Amino acid sequence: MQFVYNKQGIGDVLIITLNQKESEVTHETIGDVVKLLDEDGQIVGYNIFNVSNYLSLTGNGPLEATEELVNDVKSVFEKNDVQDELNIDLTPKFVVGYVKEMAPHEDATKLNVCQVDVGDEELQIVCGAPNVEAGQKVVVAKVGAMMPTGMLIKDSSLRGVASSGMICSAKELNLPNASEKKGILVLSDDYEVGAPFNIYA
């Protein structure tokens, strides 16, 4: 799930992406709210036009999904007679992880299989970054995270090995002054494992 607002680039529209779909998307307009649906009729997102008539938004790109913002959007829905429930998982999707173990992928020379502690669970993540090592603190995008590019993180299998999440680079997180060099962002020891990592700061 992702909220995006870019008034200069797109116009006075709040874009809400709930799910990525490769298939053709249709739409239904209800007042200032446009509902986006996939070929099966499932809601994949919304566009709220003239959003500054309802909300005071700042920023130029992805917005942090907070309870306050979700409640504000629900209020916009009510004012436009949109009957949809907006049930959004607000648990942190970008967190500090600790790479406990790393082993070479059995079927891919440039991939490693990492066991990553994210505080409340341990995730197996296949990572192709050249600088990943056991003992590092890293930023993990958990399943359900929406990257700044709009890519949704899902459970996957890479060359036959299950992977649940992604160990991120600064560039992938769209952080200021991100290095162009390939490699994950390695955090200092000051970071607490399992703590949310704010990519919107």
Side-chain angles (χ1 to χ4, degrees), residues 7 19-20 22-23 27 44 47 60-61 76 83 98 115 120 138 153 165 171 179:
K7 189 171 184 178
N19 199 358
Q20 271 189 327
E22 300 296 330
S23 61
H27 69 275
V44 295
N47 292 338
N60 184 26
V76 175
Q83 304 298 319
Y98 177 76
Q115 307 304 321
D120 56 349
V138 296
I153 301 299
K171 186 176 180 180
S179 172

Side-chain angles (χ1 to χ4, degrees), residues 6 10 13 18 22 32 38 41 59 61 68 83 101 122 129 131 151 177 184 187-188 194-195:
N6 181 350
I10 301 172
V13 184
L18 301 179
E22 300 296 330
D32 281 328
D38 67 12
E68 180 182 7
Q83 304 298 319
E101 300 175 26
E122 189 172 304
N131 64 327
M151 181 179 71
N177 304 315
I184 57 166
L187 302 175
S188 69

Side-chain angles (χ1 to χ4, degrees), residues 79-133:
K79 290 174 182 175
N80 285 272
D81 294 323
V82 177
Q83 304 298 319
D84 300 346
E85 293 281 337
L86 194 64
N87 297 317
I88 292 177
D89 179 8
L90 292 174
T91 57
K93 293 295 183 286
F94 294 94
V95 299
V96 177
Y98 177 76
V99 183
K100 294 178 67 176
E101 300 175 26
M102 187 188 79
H105 192 294
E106 293 182 355
D107 195 34
T109 56
K110 293 186 178 181
L111 297 178
N112 291 291
V113 182
C114 302
Q115 307 304 321
V116 186
D117 179 5
V118 292
D120 56 349
E121 60 182 329
E122 189 172 304
L123 302 175
Q124 177 170 286
I125 300 176
V126 179
C127 180
N131 64 327
V132 66
E133 295 179 5

Side-chain angles (χ1 to χ4, degrees), residues 66-85:
T66 63
E67 186 173 356
E68 180 182 7
L69 180 55
V70 171
N71 287 336
D72 285 343
V73 170
K74 288 180 179 178
S75 176
V76 175
F77 279 13
E78 290 175 7
K79 290 174 182 175
N80 285 272
D81 294 323
V82 177
Q83 304 298 319
D84 300 346
E85 293 281 337

